[in-house]
Amino acid sequence: MRSVGSQSMIDELKFVVMKRPQASHRDQATIDGQWQGLAYLHRQEYTRVSQEFDGFLALVEGSGAEIGFLPAHAETGLDSIYTHDPLVVSNRGAILRTMGKAARLGEAEAFASYLQAAGVPIVGRIQPPGTVEGGDVCWLDER
């Protein structure tokens, strides 16, 4: 089992899970079909998303952190590139979240499959009607 723990948003990044645009956005046709339903302010360009991701990936790689990549999943879409949103990782394991947008409801289960394969325990779940996403919370200290 992989050592897990992430009760800080300021400590050194040792392991991170990312999702490439090829797995989230897939192609321009997918973007064209989803962006408005997700309330994006404008239509993204697949080529630009990929270039920006590559730049961000280079920064993370430069930190020395180990990187895992989520695969494409039929129940996820454009927003699944934001891997911080569907779960929180504590020192004991992952807590799956229920997302607020209907189009994002499959993300936690898709992540659960990855976590199980990586040996990360799932220690809890936010059940409907409760919802919470990564941008809604942050770690202030160990508690």
Side-chain angles (χ1 to χ4, degrees), residues 45-106:
E45 296 293 332
Y46 180 76
T47 303
R48 183 166 180 194
V49 170
S50 296
Q51 290 170 344
E52 290 181 3
F53 179 85
D54 290 344
F56 179 58
L57 176 59
L59 290 171
V60 176
E61 288 172 332
S63 77
E66 180 184 352
I67 303 170
F69 292 95
L70 288 175
H73 191 282
E75 298 298 317
T76 66
L78 307 181
D79 274 353
S80 68
I81 200 167
Y82 304 114
T83 59
H84 176 65
D85 288 344
L87 62 98
V88 63
V89 180
S90 72
N91 288 337
R92 295 186 348 195
I95 301 166
L96 301 175
R97 300 172 173 170
T98 297
M99 308 295 283
K101 290 181 184 175
R104 298 193 74 185
L105 291 176

Side-chain angles (χ1 to χ4, degrees), residues 18-19 36 42 51 75 82 92 109-110 140:
M18 299 176 78
K19 191 167 188 179
Q36 289 175 308
H42 61 86
Q51 290 170 344
E75 298 298 317
Y82 304 114
R92 295 186 348 195
E109 289 307 316
L140 297 176

